[in-house]
């Protein structure tokens, strides 16, 4: 049987999204039906709407979500009806070469639900990142459900499903920030402030936030940044060096995704320092760095995909830390909105007026 629900659908590149009826099947083998309670508006959703990810329209948008499991397929054992879960788009397979080597966070064969969600006329929908959670219910692979403490607010917990986890993981997992390190973060939106949060969690002695928007720099201070650099007024490389006794940062996290800011990150690190790219570039971007500088400066140049997280390990731990008051996840929620407000929230996100708008159902 199909469940009739309301969902936010992108029908064509750069067209306004529509709230329409979506048919969600009951779960089959390996699947789970989730009643969505909250879903953050992520920049990736806007990229899907604008055709920047693929042209497989129509898309059922939304992927940064939390909710309650309503039903599971006949062979599902690790997820149960009534579980409060954060949805992830990295359901590990347990069988690929990465998983077999004990590195499931790099799983090369992650999977989604098999059955399609559709419009009333039978048109199959492409769920954003295999989730499609701007809807009252969604169908996912059971492995995409990560059980967490139900004491957490859905609007807060769901943010771990993408951007906040990407930022925290870029600092803690990919960048391996540690006590006494100096960490700079270029770009202080939701992902960047997640990286600031991760650096503080890891015990960094100085956390330098870099952005062109004074509002975002103030937000970064609320997450624990010790220094700020207004890149509209100050050269970021010079600003980061000034904040690190002239040496550069041990770790620079680039959360913008552009060649210019990546080059700034490259030269703003200390000798043998690390650059982590977590900002998502577009397909047309190219990078030109002197190869001698890459060699001579040493260190490591890394990219961070989903913060190199392992949802079953990281989501419950971060939720618990949030409930204990040790990390301020609730500060990422700028506003709570309805499904009908998603289109207007894209404009506020573009203007830098919000860290996260969260759809609450």
């Amino acid at each position: 049987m199909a469940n009739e629900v309301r969902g936010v659908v992108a029908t064509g590149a750069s067209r306004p999204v529509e709230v329409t009826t979506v048919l969600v099947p009951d779960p089959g083998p390996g699947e789970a039906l989730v009643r969505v309670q909250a879903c953050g508006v992520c920049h990736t959703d806007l990229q899907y709407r604008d055709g920047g990810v693929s042209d497989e329209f129509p898309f059922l948008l939304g992927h940064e979500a939390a909710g309650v499991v309503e039903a599971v397929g006949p062979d599902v054992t690790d997820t149960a009806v009534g579980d409060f879960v954060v949805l992830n788009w990295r359901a590990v397979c347990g069988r690929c070469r990465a998983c077999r080597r004990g590195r499931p966070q790099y799983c090369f064969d992650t999977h989604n639900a098999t059955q399609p969600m559709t419009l009333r006329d039978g048109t199959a929908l492409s769920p954003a990142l295999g989730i499609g959670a701007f809807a009252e219910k969604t169908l996912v692979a059971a492995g995409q459900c990560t059980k967490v403490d139900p004491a957490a607010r859905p609007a807060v917990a769901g943010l771990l499903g993408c951007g906040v986890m990407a930022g925290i993981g870029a600092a803690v997992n990919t960048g391996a920030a540690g006590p006494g390190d100096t960490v700079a973060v270029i770009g202080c939106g939701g992902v960047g402030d997640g990286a600031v949060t991760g650096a503080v969690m890891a015990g960094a002695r100085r956390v330098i936030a870099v952005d062109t928007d004074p509002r975002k720099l103030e937000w970064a201070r609320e997450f624990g940044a010790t220094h700020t650099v207004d890149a509209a007024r100050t050269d970021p490389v010079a600003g980061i060096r000034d904040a690190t006794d002239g040496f550069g940062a041990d770790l620079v996290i680039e959360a913008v995704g552009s060649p210019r800011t990546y080059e700034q990150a490259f030269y703003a690190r200390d000798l043998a320092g690390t650059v982590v790219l977590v900002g998502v570039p577009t397909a047309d971007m190219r990078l030109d760095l002197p190869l001698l500088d890459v060699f001579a400066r040493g260190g490591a140049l890394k990219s961070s995909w989903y913060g190199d997280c392992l949802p079953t390990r990281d989501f419950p731990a971060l939720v618990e830390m949030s409930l204990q008051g040790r990390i301020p996840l609730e500060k990422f929620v700028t506003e709570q909105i309805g499904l009908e407000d998603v289109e207007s929230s894209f404009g506020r996100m573009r203007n830098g007026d919000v860290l996260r708008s969260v759809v609450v159902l």
Side-chain angles (χ1 to χ4, degrees):
M1 294 180 61
N3 301 267
E4 285 199 7
V5 302
R6 294 187 308 142
V8 176
V9 174
T11 60
S14 299
R15 295 180 191 169
V17 299
E18 302 175 5
V19 179
T20 189
T21 299
V22 173
L23 302 184
V24 182
D26 283 337
E31 297 175 337
L33 179 69
V34 176
R35 175 169 53 85
V36 179
Q37 294 179 309
C39 185
V41 180
C42 178
H43 195 269
T44 303
D45 294 306
L46 181 58
Q47 289 180 306
Y48 270 105
R49 191 208 73 163
D50 290 345
V53 178
S54 80
D55 59 358
E56 296 176 2
F57 290 94
F59 291 109
L60 177 59
L61 299 183
H63 59 280
E64 198 175 72
V68 175
V69 177
E70 278 204 347
V72 297
D75 62 340
V76 174
T77 58
D78 292 338
T79 301
V81 172
D83 284 351
F84 176 61
V85 297
V86 175
L87 300 182
N88 74 78
W89 41 271
R90 203 167 199 174
V92 300
C93 71
R95 300 179 302 274
C96 71
R97 60 194 185 279
C99 289
R100 290 198 307 269
R101 287 183 292 176
R103 302 171 186 170
Q105 69 271 28
Y106 302 131
C107 178
F108 301 138
D109 194 21
T110 57
H111 53 284
N112 306 316
T114 302
Q115 299 181 88
M117 293 179 278
T118 68
L119 299 175
R120 269 186 170 153
D121 64 5
T123 300
L125 293 166
S126 301
L129 289 175
I131 292 179
F134 285 153
E136 293 161 329
K137 297 180 183 180
T138 190
L139 184 72
V140 295
Q144 292 177 280
C145 298
T146 305
K147 186 176 179 180
V148 299
D149 191 329
R153 285 176 53 208
V156 174
L159 299 183
L160 293 172
C162 190
V164 174
M165 183 71 254
I168 292 176
V172 175
N173 296 331
T174 315
D181 283 349
T182 55
V183 179
V185 179
I186 300 178
C188 296
V191 174
D193 281 341
V196 169
T197 301
V200 173
M201 283 172 51
R205 63 188 175 95
R206 296 179 193 171
V207 181
I208 305 108
V210 181
D211 206 287
T212 58
D213 187 336
R215 295 173 301 175
K216 291 185 177 181
L217 294 174
E218 185 57 38
W219 289 339
R221 281 200 176 273
E222 293 179 11
F223 287 100
T226 59
H227 298 68
T228 58
V229 176
D230 185 344
R233 298 171 177 267
T234 303
D235 174 60
V237 176
I240 292 170
R241 289 191 176 278
D242 286 345
T244 53
D245 304 318
F247 298 118
D250 299 308
L251 169 64
V252 184
I253 298 168
E254 200 276 9
V256 178
S258 82
R260 182 184 179 196
T261 47
Y262 187 89
E263 183 175 347
Q264 291 167 348
F266 178 84
Y267 286 110
R269 67 191 172 120
D270 197 358
L271 293 173
T274 298
V275 174
V276 171
L277 174 66
V278 67
V280 181
T282 58
D284 60 321
M285 292 179 177
R286 296 292 183 270
L287 182 67
D288 184 6
L289 286 173
L291 190 56
L292 181 60
D293 286 358
V294 175
F295 172 78
R297 297 182 66 82
L301 308 179
K302 299 181 176 182
S303 59
S304 184
W305 195 70
Y306 207 0
D308 288 333
C309 77
L310 185 60
T312 52
R313 175 195 65 197
D314 296 338
F315 290 5
L318 291 169
V319 165
E320 186 171 352
M321 292 177 72
S322 175
L323 290 171
Q324 293 169 351
R326 294 164 61 192
I327 53 173
L329 293 184
E330 71 285 347
K331 290 185 178 180
F332 286 93
V333 181
T334 307
E335 61 176 0
Q336 297 186 169
I337 62 174
L339 290 173
E340 64 279 359
D341 302 315
V342 168
E343 180 63 34
S344 62
S345 75
F346 286 147
R348 293 189 291 279
M349 181 170 60
R350 272 192 172 124
N351 293 335
D353 296 330
V354 296
L355 276 178
R356 271 298 184 270
S357 303
V358 180
V359 174
V360 175
L361 297 160

